Amino acid sequence: MRPRPPRAPLRAALPLLLACCLSCSGAPRAAPSEPPPGSPAGASGAGDPLFPQAGNGGYDVAHYGLDLSYDPGSGQLTGTAVITATATADLGRFNLDLAGLTVGRVTVDGRPAATARSGTELTVRPARPVAPGARFEATVAYAGVPELLTDPDGSREGWFRTDDGAVALGEPVGSMAWFPGDDHPSDKAAYDITVSVPDGLTAVSNGELNARTGAGGRTVFRWHTGEPMATYLATLAIGHYTVTRSRTPAGLPLYVAVDPRSDDPRTAAALRRIPEILAWESGLFGPYPFTSAGAIVAHLPKGEGGYALEAQNRPVFPGDGVPPAVDAGTLVHELAHQWFGDEATPSRWQDVWLNEGFATYAQWLWQEHEGGESVDRSAAAAFADPAAWAFPPASPTAAQLFAPPVYQRGALVLYELRRALGGPLFSKLLRAWPAAHPHGNASTADFTAFCRRLTGKDLTALFAEWLYGRARPARL
Ligand code: ZN
């Protein structure tokens, strides 16, 4: 679901990338007559400068239907993915992103399709090309022990196998470890994730649990995500979980799952504050964007890696046995991402400061709200930290996506905006930005243009210094 029309410069580069990627990515070389002229193949990337192979060209996914079965003993995942999409080009073939796993039968609109694999690209050649504008359904049967991936910053993600189950984390490109898809934030879609696990285990995912049924020693969990979601925000946690279901005073359903090994008193106390944090954040950022909320507190043994992730509806916190598994500040950060990242999603990975800057600023506000460090002091500490000045927030490399300039300096951009605009106008901006991108995508250029439009002020100098400048300004 790409809510907005292609936009320069990202999309303008697509034909070029398409030509380049097909020749250099290792995707199967076409015979000279194949694909036929006028039937360009889908590109092997969505055109992201930092992740050229992430996502794909030529189609727009509306829905993922994942039907999965997991065996914790062997680590085997068996699945069928039904991907409903609209062709945006004449598709003689198209790509899906998938890391590892073995692909079985693949069909497009019910007809068997030929496939080829190369790296993390799965190329699908439908029996008949899909016409531009046509909706199609690609069904991929797959199985195997999913891989733990290492992303460019050295973080581990994708699929963590645990002693009693698994945890899936996907930012930036980990979702392809457990389902085939268009693994780029610009293509958001609805999901139905159905998971069969041995009795006694729980499978937790995004959205709402529509059904839980048992038969033959297995339990099937049906999770439904109606609001468009980026692939990196999809999650799945399987294991022994203590589940608490409740509602906020505003009536929002909450589903909180905690691995008992991560259930320390501080974590429990933080989780009890979810309704309060959501109410506080709604007051600052506008109505909560989704139909349910909650959290997943998992357990990954120390040294396994993993990071807290703002999975849609239900952030994931991989406890490592050292309490607390979650504190209120981290919860505030990941819940703020529901507005900044999950609702308004970066168009490209280099725009991720729009997620992390806002979520960090939310933590600064929370600390002050709690009677702790003031926002001024947090800003001063960030300003004084040399690590925050390694590069401008909107120009990380793939290995720097989650480095201090993205978080700390990203938050400082907002701090400076507040100073320039004054409290009332800045508060309006905090609410208006996510609301302007309902279940959509936005770039840094969209943000600066939006600020100008909303405030009527010329903020060129502020952005030149704080957002784009290489050097640290003389003073805060
Ligand atoms: Zn974050």
Side-chain angles (χ1 to χ4, degrees), residues 310 333-334 337 356 359 407:
E310 61 269 28
H333 179 107
E334 304 307 340
H337 275 309
E356 304 304 346
Y407 287 71

Side-chain angles (χ1 to χ4, degrees), residues 36 62 428:
K428 185 171 159 190

Side-chain angles (χ1 to χ4, degrees), residues 279-362:
W280 178 77
E281 292 188 337
S282 302
L284 291 167
F285 310 142
Y288 178 76
F290 304 111
T291 42
S292 65
I296 300 171
V297 185
H299 174 77
L300 293 178
K302 215 170 160 40
E304 280 282 297
Y307 43 76
L309 177 68
E310 61 269 28
Q312 191 157 302
N313 310 95
R314 203 152 287 115
V316 182
F317 304 91
D320 62 1
V322 181
V326 189
D327 58 22
T330 311
L331 200 49
V332 164
H333 179 107
E334 304 307 340
L335 292 175
H337 275 309
Q338 302 298 311
W339 285 262
F340 305 105
D342 297 13
E343 164 84 321
T345 305
S347 304
R348 319 177 286 184
W349 279 114
Q350 71 207 59
D351 298 318
V352 75
W353 79 274
L354 290 168
N355 293 4
E356 304 304 346
F358 276 98
T360 302
Y361 191 78

Side-chain angles (χ1 to χ4, degrees), residues 189-327:
Y191 289 68
D192 280 280
I193 302 179
T194 297
V195 191
S196 162
V197 295
D199 281 347
L201 296 186
T202 300
V204 194
S205 186
N206 313 88
E208 291 89 52
L209 180 62
N210 274 351
R212 183 182 186 282
T213 50
R218 298 190 65 92
T219 311
V220 177
F221 294 80
R222 291 180 194 281
W223 289 93
H224 171 71
T225 297
E227 291 112 355
M229 173 166 80
T231 47
Y232 79 92
L233 298 169
T235 191
L236 176 59
I238 297 168
H240 290 96
Y241 282 95
T242 306
V243 172
T244 308
R245 302 180 77 160
S246 59
R247 279 180 190 270
T248 65
L252 184 72
L254 297 181
Y255 187 105
V256 177
V258 182
D259 186 307
R261 290 167 291 185
S262 296
D263 191 6
D264 57 87
R266 275 183 68 196
T267 293
L271 294 172
R272 275 195 297 274
R273 299 187 74 178
I274 289 177
E276 177 196 349
I277 294 168
L278 288 173
W280 178 77
E281 292 188 337
S282 302
L284 291 167
F285 310 142
Y288 178 76
F290 304 111
T291 42
S292 65
I296 300 171
V297 185
H299 174 77
L300 293 178
K302 215 170 160 40
E304 280 282 297
Y307 43 76
L309 177 68
E310 61 269 28
Q312 191 157 302
N313 310 95
R314 203 152 287 115
V316 182
F317 304 91
D320 62 1
V322 181
V326 189
D327 58 22

